[in-house]
Amino acid sequence: MEIPQRNLAMDLMRVTESAALASARWLGRGDKISGDGAAVDAMRLSFAAVPVEGRIVIGEGEKDEAPMLYNGETVGNGTGPMVDIAVDPVEGTSLLAFGRPNAISVVGMAPYDTMFNPGPSFYMQKLVVPQAARDVADLDAPVPENLEKIAKALGKDVEDLVVFVLDKPRHKPLIEAIRKAGARIQLHTDGDVAGALMAIDPDCEVDIMMGTGGTPEGVLAACAIRGLNGEMLTRLDPQSSEEREALHAAGIDMKKIRSVRDLIKSDDVFFAATGISGGTFLPGVRYTGSGATTDSLVIRGRTGTMRYVRSIHNLKKLQQFSAVNYS
C-alpha cells in the first residue's frame, strides 16, 4: 500500500487550459495558423511548470518545420520523472477556424520509452470501443459481425449503437456497411481524437469509433483509452505512395495490428483535454467581461480515475503577471 501520489494529469490540465484559452480567441475567424500558433505558444510556456523531464514523441512536427513542441523536444522543468509526451495544442484547427464544434486541446503522457513512435506514418485504421467490448472487437471482422458482437457486449441492439466516422471519401464503403447493418452514425469532418474519447466516455452517446484517421492522433488518444481500460485496434493505413515508401524505408510493419497496449506500454498514463469550440463532447471556452470558463477531461491511468473539471479564470488578474497572452 502507498500514500496517494501526485496526479500529473492535473498539471497537464493547466497546460491544455492555457492553450484552449489562448486559441479560443480565434474561433470562427478563418485563420487556423494563428489559432494553432496561439495554442502552441501558450502550451509551451505552461509546460515549464510541469515537474517532469519530458520528451515530445507526438508533436507539431520535426524541428525544421515547427519552432516549438516539435518531435524530440524536451519540455517540463526537469525535476520529475522522464516521460514520453504527446501533444495536440488544437486538435481540429479547421474546426476552430470555421467555428465548428469539438475542437479541443490535448496532452497525453506515459513513462519514458513506452509510447509508440509512428515515424513517417500519417494515417492508421482504427477501431475504438469501451471496456465492456474490448474482448470482442476485431479489426478484420466484417462490419455487421463487429457491430453485432459489440452491441451484445454493451447490452444493446445493433440499432441502438452510434458509430463515430470521419466524413471522408475513403469511408464511403464503411458508411454504407454501417447503415446496412442498421446502426446509427455520427459523421464529423475532423477531430478523431475527440471521436475516440467519445467512444470510451460512458456519458457520451457514441459507442464505437471506426475508420482511418491520423496516426499521431491515434497514439495521443491511446493514452486516454489505456487509462480507462478501453480498446483501440489499429493498423497503419498509408494514403499515398510516398507515405508507403517512407514506412517501408523505415522498416515499419504496415500489416501488424497494434492494440492500445502496443501503442502505450504502461498503465501509468496521464491525459488531459480542454474544450475550445464546444460541442457534443466538451463545452468550449466561454468568455465573460473579466475572465473565462473552461471544461476539461482529466484521466489518471494507474487508478482509472476520470474527472470532469470546470474552471473559472480571472483573466484580468492573471494577465497582470502571466507570460501567456490570453487577450
Side-chain angles (χ1 to χ4, degrees):
M1 305 299 292
E2 62 182 45
I3 63 173
Q5 302 295 309
R6 181 168 186 162
N7 184 352
L8 289 169
M10 303 301 289
D11 295 272
L12 297 184
M13 183 186 70
R14 294 183 63 197
V15 174
T16 58
E17 283 180 345
S18 67
L21 287 166
S23 62
R25 295 291 189 186
W26 295 92
L27 178 69
R29 294 170 63 180
D31 186 350
K32 66 179 183 179
I33 294 177
S34 295
D36 189 53
V40 170
D41 291 343
M43 184 172 278
R44 186 64 176 82
L45 287 169
S46 297
F47 258 122
V50 180
V52 297
E53 184 178 344
R55 174 188 66 169
I56 300 287
V57 175
I58 304 295
E60 288 288 283
E62 299 298 334
K63 187 175 182 179
D64 59 344
E65 297 177 1
M68 292 193 297
L69 300 181
Y70 54 83
N71 298 343
E73 182 180 1
T74 299
V75 295
N77 64 16
T79 62
M82 295 178 64
V83 294
D84 290 341
I85 292 178
V87 304
D88 200 341
V90 179
E91 204 260 332
T93 53
S94 293
L95 300 178
L96 172 64
F98 297 109
R100 295 171 182 154
N102 295 325
I104 58 176
S105 178
V106 196
V107 176
M109 187 165 69
Y112 184 79
D113 207 26
T114 64
M115 187 178 290
F116 175 65
N117 188 334
S121 174
F122 295 112
Y123 291 95
M124 61 165 43
Q125 184 183 0
K126 308 173 190 178
L127 173 60
V128 181
V129 296
Q131 181 177 0
R134 59 176 297 171
D135 294 329
V136 301
D138 183 348
L139 192 64
D140 286 331
V143 170
E145 180 181 325
N146 248 331
L147 294 178
E148 184 175 349
K149 289 182 177 180
I150 293 169
K152 184 177 181 180
L154 298 179
K156 298 184 176 185
D157 295 326
V158 171
E159 292 76 12
D160 299 331
L161 295 176
V162 175
V163 185
F164 179 104
V165 182
L166 290 177
D167 191 7
K168 306 293 184 182
R170 63 178 176 265
H171 288 151
K172 183 178 179 181
L174 173 63
I175 292 168
E176 291 177 351
I178 295 171
R179 287 173 174 165
K180 187 174 181 180
R184 300 175 294 157
I185 301 175
Q186 273 195 17
L187 290 174
H188 294 256
T189 58
D190 299 278
D192 59 343
V193 172
L197 296 176
M198 291 179 199
I200 60 169
D201 184 345
D203 292 328
C204 185
E205 65 269 26
V206 170
D207 300 291
I208 311 165
M209 176 185 169
M210 303 179 88
T212 293
T215 305
E217 289 84 354
V219 177
L220 182 48
C223 294
I225 296 167
R226 172 113 200 206
L228 295 181
N229 287 322
E231 184 59 279
M232 171 187 274
L233 299 176
T234 70
R235 180 165 45 219
L236 302 186
D237 189 13
Q239 298 295 297
S240 68
S241 57
E242 292 80 9
E243 182 181 358
R244 186 176 297 276
E245 290 168 4
L247 287 168
H248 180 74
I252 299 176
D253 189 348
M254 288 176 271
K255 296 181 179 180
K256 180 179 179 179
I257 294 178
R258 294 175 174 86
S259 72
V260 70
R261 281 158 180 73
D262 295 312
L263 300 178
I264 306 294
K265 297 178 180 178
S266 171
D267 282 326
D268 196 16
V269 295
F270 301 93
F271 179 88
T274 301
I276 302 175
S277 63
T280 56
F281 177 51
L282 282 170
V285 176
R286 285 90 70 205
Y287 291 103
T288 65
S290 60
T293 301
T294 58
D295 283 85
S296 302
L297 170 66
V298 183
I299 297 171
R300 184 187 181 196
R302 191 174 183 188
T303 61
T305 303
M306 177 172 65
R307 291 179 171 90
Y308 285 101
V309 180
R310 175 162 293 177
S311 303
I312 299 172
H313 309 269
N314 187 325
L315 296 184
K316 287 187 175 180
K317 190 172 185 178
L318 185 61
Q319 203 66 81
Q320 291 176 10
F321 60 87
S322 176
V324 178
N325 182 14
Y326 295 118
S327 60

